[in-house]
Amino acid sequence: MKKIWIVAFMLILLIPGASAYQIPEKGVIYQIMVDRFYDGNQSNDQPFYDPNHTDYYLYWGGDLQGIIEKLDYLKSLGVSMIWLSPINDNINRMVGISAPYHGYWTRDYKRIEEHFGNWKTFEHLVEEAKKRDMCIVVGFVPNHSNPENDGEFGSLYDNGTKITDFFRDEKNATLNPYTGSLEYIYHHNGEVKNYYGWEMKSKSIFGLADFNQLDPWVNDYLKESLDLFIKAGVCGFRIDAVKHMDLGWLMNFYAYAYSKEPLLIYGEYYRLEYGEDADMYDFYRYSNISPLLSIPIRERIVSTLGFGGSFEDLANYLHIYYSHLVYPNKAVNFIDNHDLPRFLSESRYKEGYHMALGILMTLPGIPVIYYGDEDYLVSKDGKGDPYNRPMMVFDNTTEAARIIRTLAELRKKNDALAYGDFKDLYKSYTTWVFERSFGNEKIVVVLNKREEKNLSFDTDLPDGTYRDVLYGVEMSIKNGKGTLKAPRNRILVFSYIGKQEKPLIGSVTPYLTQPGDKVLLGGVAFGKRGKVIVGNKEAKILEWKNNMIVFEMPKIKMRGAWVNVTVENRSNVMKIRYLSGDQIPALLVVNGSDVNTTGQLWIKGNIPELAEPIPLYKSQTGYYFQIVSLPKNVAFSVELYRGAPWDELEPLNITLYGKSNSTVILRSKPYPRENHEYWPIYIGMIVLGLILITLSFKRR
Ligand code: NOJ
Ligand code: CA
């Protein structure tokens, strides 16, 4: 009898189970403002509650239980990731006329806001979502806690124990001699006035108590809090206000999260247009540490579809935008959100809105549907914040819901939507045709406004007759030329899925890794088993399916920032940003007297963490500095450079040396080796000695 049980157990182990992971690019995100979605538990509505839903600044009752009850509704739209507005415990007081219904005024990062539920409800939500093949992304706010001068005055709790508030903290604050920042748990440097450089990172925005993330307690506290969500089973985070935090600290923070799970983390860098100012440029160039919300393209999509904008201009702008991203398919795209007016409150042009939804679902990047996008939700009371946050109305039978559902299903089937490139086939003021290809899978998208039009264009799709997935319009292709009659004010999507012989990688999650991290590869034709090669090392395989591989990042000896990954050395090559070991956040300081030059200074170092150029800020106290993420216990050197971020950097032929620590003052002399670093040399000498003795004995 016992034997039967053992055999049955072994058989269960052999059945290929569902993976714990999803490839983010294949999915669609649904964004929820928790308070405004659905009230599943009336007992947590008070205080500051408005049952009539007329005062936009009070709580309206939505909670985690409400989301659990609406999971089947969400599933019916075809979405796979549910992004919640922040749910950590917020202050228990009003600030002026506003309650913290939005969740952005945290006081305890280790607890859940009582208006929304508790850890148990949250875990239940994660579990129920998982049963339906969906997962939860939470908003996390590591830049600041809550208002300094009102409400609870920046009060901060560690799982119920009060740690500080803004004024108590100010009494303990000291001046950092290298950066000139007055700080303890919080920064006490006043409000940001100039949106660049050190000031943008170390002063407060909207009067919110700004964290000093380099303080070891703050650093640990934020990571421990993040970990609570990871342990509860989230699949990602939306990180608030990344523009106001040091990129080096974020890299450290993300590396910590990625060391736990292969998550999707995307940041909010708030700026409506892509600009070549140094900070934004760095964030996008280094968007390799994590994707960002595509805020700079949203305005263009709305003005082109909601008003009379040109498709040709939109296409050109999008190509420039994507050219700045390491992985364009990981951009997180949206039309509506809780900070900007909804499309339909700016323009009532519904056909344009449907086309905009279609573009959102087919452009490179992961689409976000803001709650109510599927049924034209708008407030009659106003446009922007807070009127872009009305109470949800549930209707999944609309034309918008049909477009979302149809294209969400297509994203799962046709990999060109998740991993494909992006090429224009035809563009004019009123018409745009683009194609996306991934190996032998292809998509052609046709947009046409104003009047019906006969179109003809070159395409990579094989000859034949195609029917668009949304309206059934026909397109015929002969000798590589596509022709169709494009109806007015419609978006058409044509799909082709051919067979792929060779493995092809489409996505790497995450693409900032350290040895031991789990990494997901998404793609096609991986087969049943095989090898993943990272640099020149074979990685340990944790899971292998035809369209997804999970492997463990090996330890690699290298100085550069990027390492190549391939499947069996037969597939295409993708790059991964490599971090060489356990990371610590560090303040890197260059003494002003070591550098006799003007202009923007940069460093480039001889370890992977410092291998990409890093800009330095100049302090009032005569130093250059930057926050970086370093491997523990490593001596390194850096070279100094000068120049604008978009120019070729000019070497200054100055080498400085450092050793990892929380503050590293770079010096002009190398560090002597430590005792343990001599061991390999001693062992080598002993082995050599033994060989020589053996040889001399043999000769005798
Ligand atoms: C951006 C968020 O999206 C917004 O709603 C919030 O008020 C600010 N960051 C401050 O946290
Ligand atoms: Ca800050």
Side-chain angles (χ1 to χ4, degrees):
M1 192 65 190
K2 210 172 162 191
K3 265 191 194 155
I4 295 174
W5 281 112
I6 293 171
V7 171
F9 180 66
M10 286 175 72
L11 278 177
I12 288 169
L13 287 183
L14 285 176
I15 298 168
S19 174
Y21 304 114
Q22 295 188 12
I23 303 291
E25 288 92 328
K26 298 282 296 171
V28 175
I29 300 172
Y30 189 91
Q31 181 192 351
I32 289 178
M33 176 140 270
V34 177
D35 178 58
R36 302 294 155 94
F37 197 61
Y38 190 63
D39 191 352
N41 176 1
Q42 283 80 27
S43 73
N44 59 20
D45 292 348
Q46 296 289 356
F48 315 129
Y49 172 59
D50 173 18
N52 302 318
H53 302 171
T54 51
D55 186 337
Y56 279 78
Y57 293 97
L58 295 181
Y59 283 99
W60 285 5
D63 50 33
L64 298 175
Q65 184 56 37
I67 301 172
I68 296 174
E69 285 170 31
K70 291 294 177 184
L71 282 173
D72 289 329
Y73 171 89
L74 295 174
K75 180 80 187 159
S76 78
L77 294 171
V79 304
S80 49
M81 294 167 268
I82 303 166
W83 152 24
L84 310 181
S85 50
I87 53 168
N88 275 130
D89 183 25
N90 268 229
I91 54 172
N92 296 334
R93 291 202 198 135
M94 298 281 286
V95 172
I97 58 161
S98 186
Y101 73 92
H102 43 67
Y104 283 93
W105 294 341
T106 319
R107 66 176 213 156
D108 195 334
Y109 285 75
K110 295 201 180 157
R111 289 202 171 169
I112 301 290
E113 166 58 38
E114 61 276 7
H115 282 87
F116 300 152
N118 52 36
W119 281 110
K120 232 174 138 189
T121 348
F122 182 69
E123 280 160 15
H124 188 202
L125 169 63
V126 171
E127 220 172 275
E128 287 298 316
K130 205 169 171 185
K131 280 188 198 158
R132 294 163 175 82
D133 290 327
M134 296 189 286
C135 65
I136 305 293
V137 171
V138 282
F140 196 78
V141 194
N143 180 60
H144 49 257
S145 60
N146 56 76
E148 302 160 358
N149 287 310
D150 205 337
E152 291 195 20
F153 304 96
S155 69
L156 189 67
Y157 291 77
D158 185 355
N159 196 15
T161 306
K162 181 155 181 184
I163 301 298
T164 195
D165 58 49
F166 195 70
F167 294 106
R168 196 198 289 181
D169 191 65
E170 193 164 32
K171 293 195 188 108
N172 298 316
T174 54
L175 201 68
N176 184 308
Y178 306 112
T179 63
S181 168
L182 184 62
E183 60 197 23
Y184 190 40
I185 290 207
Y186 292 125
H187 290 131
H188 297 270
N189 301 313
E191 187 77 7
V192 178
K193 288 198 185 74
N194 303 302
Y195 279 74
Y196 56 80
W198 168 82
E199 171 163 355
M200 195 160 74
K201 315 285 175 186
S202 302
K203 293 194 177 188
S204 307
I205 48 162
F206 312 130
L208 295 160
D210 196 66
F211 280 123
N212 170 21
Q213 291 89 353
L214 268 200
D215 174 83
W217 184 87
V218 175
N219 179 53
D220 287 349
Y221 172 73
L222 291 173
K223 285 176 178 163
E224 285 160 14
S225 309
L226 199 78
D227 205 20
L228 292 176
F229 284 109
I230 299 174
K231 288 207 172 92
V234 300
C235 61
F237 292 99
R238 181 270 197 189
I239 304 292
D240 190 57
V242 295
K243 174 165 122 182
H244 299 284
M245 290 177 279
D246 296 293
L247 196 46
W249 182 77
L250 277 175
M251 187 194 252
N252 186 276
F253 191 57
Y254 292 169
Y256 173 82
Y258 294 148
S259 75
K260 307 278 169 187
E261 288 294 345
L263 302 162
L264 171 69
I265 305 183
Y266 50 97
E268 178 237 10
Y269 191 109
Y270 191 81
R271 190 167 147 164
L272 296 178
E273 281 277 313
Y274 179 79
E276 273 205 343
D277 64 297
D279 189 75
M280 185 167 211
Y281 190 88
D282 285 335
F283 251 92
Y284 275 71
R285 191 169 49 132
Y286 291 111
S287 72
N288 51 61
I289 71 165
S290 140
L292 295 175
L293 280 156
S294 304
I295 298 176
I297 68 173
R298 175 261 172 203
E299 188 78 9
R300 298 284 180 125
I301 297 176
V302 175
S303 59
T304 311
L305 277 312
F307 304 91
S310 147
F311 274 133
E312 188 162 8
D313 291 350
L314 175 66
N316 295 342
Y317 180 79
L318 288 172
H319 286 291
I320 293 172
Y321 177 75
Y322 284 124
S323 73
H324 294 282
L325 305 183
V326 181
Y327 282 125
N329 284 319
K330 272 219 168 58
V332 180
N333 303 332
F334 67 96
I335 295 173
D336 291 345
N337 77 6
H338 62 297
D339 289 329
L340 296 160
R342 288 174 182 257
F343 180 113
L344 288 172
S345 63
E346 294 201 293
S347 157
R348 295 299 302 167
Y349 177 40
K350 240 186 188 170
E351 286 179 324
Y353 177 66
H354 289 147
M355 285 194 273
L357 279 181
I359 294 188
L360 171 69
M361 299 291 292
T362 51
L363 275 184
I366 306 164
V368 179
I369 304 299
Y370 186 42
Y371 79 98
D373 275 356
E374 71 274 32
D375 57 1
Y376 318 109
L377 183 69
V378 281
S379 161
K380 41 185 189 341
D381 304 310
K383 295 181 179 179
D385 166 8
Y387 304 105
N388 48 10
R389 308 162 180 185
M391 200 67 195
M392 175 62 178
V393 174
F394 294 88
D395 184 358
N396 57 7
T397 63
T398 63
E399 173 64 358
R402 186 184 76 83
I403 293 173
I404 293 166
R405 184 182 305 115
T406 309
L407 296 177
E409 288 312 319
L410 190 62
R411 289 185 74 83
K412 290 178 196 152
K413 288 188 213 130
N414 190 324
D415 291 302
L417 283 173
Y419 311 136
D421 59 6
F422 180 39
K423 196 167 85 182
D424 297 332
L425 301 183
Y426 180 98
K427 57 188 167 187
S428 69
Y429 200 101
T430 53
T431 309
W432 180 26
V433 183
F434 66 84
E435 184 175 270
R436 304 197 52 209
S437 296
F438 180 68
N440 221 359
E441 298 181 59
K442 293 168 201 300
I443 288 284
V444 167
V445 177
V446 177
L447 288 131
N448 182 45
K449 47 183 186 176
R450 294 234 183 110
E451 57 203 10
E452 187 180 67
K453 193 166 183 177
N454 285 316
L455 277 178
S456 153
F457 45 83
D458 293 332
T459 165
D460 288 341
L461 256 66
D463 286 3
T465 304
Y466 294 79
R467 199 173 279 282
D468 115 83
V469 301
L470 289 173
Y471 304 98
V473 174
E474 263 192 18
M475 169 173 76
S476 97
I477 299 184
K478 235 191 220 159
N479 301 326
K481 213 161 208 64
T483 49
L484 79 145
K485 192 179 274 224
R488 68 187 289 267
N489 299 336
R490 286 274 185 277
I491 179 167
L492 312 176
V493 181
F494 298 94
S495 162
Y496 170 77
I497 305 178
K499 195 164 166 33
Q500 179 71 26
E501 303 292 345
K502 260 176 53 169
L504 201 56
I505 313 174
S507 114
V508 186
T509 310
Y511 45 92
L512 172 84
T513 66
Q514 48 187 315
D517 284 6
K518 285 184 207 142
V519 184
L520 308 181
L521 294 182
V524 285
F526 292 152
K528 288 209 172 99
R529 61 187 66 84
K531 290 179 188 163
V532 168
I533 312 293
V534 188
N536 52 10
K537 284 233 174 128
E538 189 180 331
K540 181 175 165 196
I541 303 300
L542 305 172
E543 201 177 318
W544 193 291
K545 289 181 173 176
N546 193 38
N547 56 5
M548 186 177 91
I549 300 169
V550 186
F551 72 85
E552 189 180 296
M553 190 67 185
K555 189 155 181 70
I556 299 165
K557 225 176 157 59
M558 59 182 263
R559 288 182 165 202
W562 295 91
V563 62
N564 289 339
V565 56
T566 64
V567 174
E568 301 264 341
N569 281 329
R570 285 203 305 137
S571 72
N572 56 331
V573 173
M574 299 289 268
K575 49 186 208 163
I576 302 187
R577 184 78 196 258
Y578 181 74
L579 302 175
S580 55
D582 275 357
Q583 301 285 301
I584 53 162
L587 173 65
L588 208 66
V589 181
V590 174
N591 206 322
S593 57
D594 285 348
V595 196
N596 187 14
T597 187
T598 51
Q600 172 66 58
L601 271 193
W602 301 75
I603 49 162
K604 245 202 259 185
N606 66 347
I607 52 174
E609 287 77 359
L610 305 177
E612 290 270 358
I614 297 174
L616 301 180
Y617 299 137
K618 189 164 188 184
S619 75
Q620 304 282 353
T621 47
Y623 294 92
Y624 294 93
F625 66 94
Q626 188 51 280
I627 284 83
V628 293
S629 189
L630 294 176
K632 283 182 187 157
N633 302 322
V634 167
F636 59 87
S637 66
V638 302
E639 303 288 327
L640 288 186
Y641 293 80
R642 182 173 69 170
W646 39 87
D647 283 341
E648 184 98 357
L649 297 179
E650 176 198 337
L652 294 176
N653 299 319
I654 300 173
T655 308
L656 298 173
Y657 300 87
K659 200 159 199 196
S660 30
N661 213 332
S662 53
T663 301
V664 182
I665 307 189
L666 295 173
R667 60 185 220 179
S668 46
K669 264 211 270 44
Y671 281 81
R673 284 177 198 260
E674 298 221 337
N675 272 345
H676 70 267
E677 290 171 296
Y678 282 107
W679 275 113
I681 300 173
Y682 294 151
I683 291 169
M685 282 165 68
I686 293 168
V687 171
L688 194 69
L690 287 174
I691 292 171
L692 288 177
I693 292 167
T694 323
L695 283 179
S696 72
F697 267 117
K698 269 196 177 165
R699 248 181 245 148
R700 273 186 226 163

